[in-house]
Amino acid sequence: MDNRIHAYHHPLVPKNLKVQQNKSSDFAKVLKEQQEIEISKHASDRMTQRDIHLSDTDWNKMNEKLNQAKDKGVKESLVIMGDAAFIVNAESKKVITALDKSELSSKIFTNINGTIVMD
C-alpha cells in the first residue's frame, strides 16, 4: 500500500483553464451599494452652520434614492429633502455640501445631472 499523498487533478478540467473569478467584484459591488452615506467636512460644517439635522430614517431614504439614481446613471445630484438641500455624489454617496431650503431660490447649481425631490 502506497501511503503517499498525490495531487488529484479532475480529468474533465484542464490544468491550464483560467476561470474568471467574479465573486470578489460582485461582493465589492454589493458592498458599495450598501455603503452608508458619507458627509464631507465642508458639508458637515454647512449643516452645523445652517442647523440642518436629518433623522436616521431620512438618511436611509436618501441612501435608497441615491442607489436608484446611480442605477439610472446619475453621478452628481441635487437632493431636496424637507427644509434642506444637498449636493451629493451618487456614485460614492458622499454629501458635498448642504443648504437650507430658503437658499435654493438664490442659487444656481452646476455640474449636476440629476435631482432627487423627497418629501
Side-chain angles (χ1 to χ4, degrees), residues 9-21:
H9 297 285
H10 195 285
L12 299 177
V13 181
K15 289 182 190 178
N16 60 355
L17 179 67
K18 293 183 180 179
V19 179
Q20 185 177 1
Q21 295 291 330

Side-chain angles (χ1 to χ4, degrees), residues 74-78 87-91 96 111-115:
V74 174
K75 294 182 181 175
E76 299 285 337
S77 179
L78 170 65
I87 300 294
V88 184
N89 180 300
E91 291 179 319
I96 298 167
N111 298 326
I112 62 168
N113 65 338
T115 301

Side-chain angles (χ1 to χ4, degrees), residues 27-43:
F27 176 75
K29 182 180 176 186
V30 169
L31 182 63
K32 186 79 170 169
E33 287 174 0
Q34 298 302 319
Q35 177 184 352
E36 295 295 321
I37 296 171
E38 182 183 349
I39 303 170
S40 70
K41 170 105 171 76
H42 174 80

Side-chain angles (χ1 to χ4, degrees), residues 78 80 85 99-109:
L78 170 65
I80 302 170
L99 303 115
D100 187 271
K101 199 168 185 178
S102 64
E103 296 175 292
L104 290 177
S105 63
S106 63
K107 299 292 182 194
I108 297 173
F109 298 97

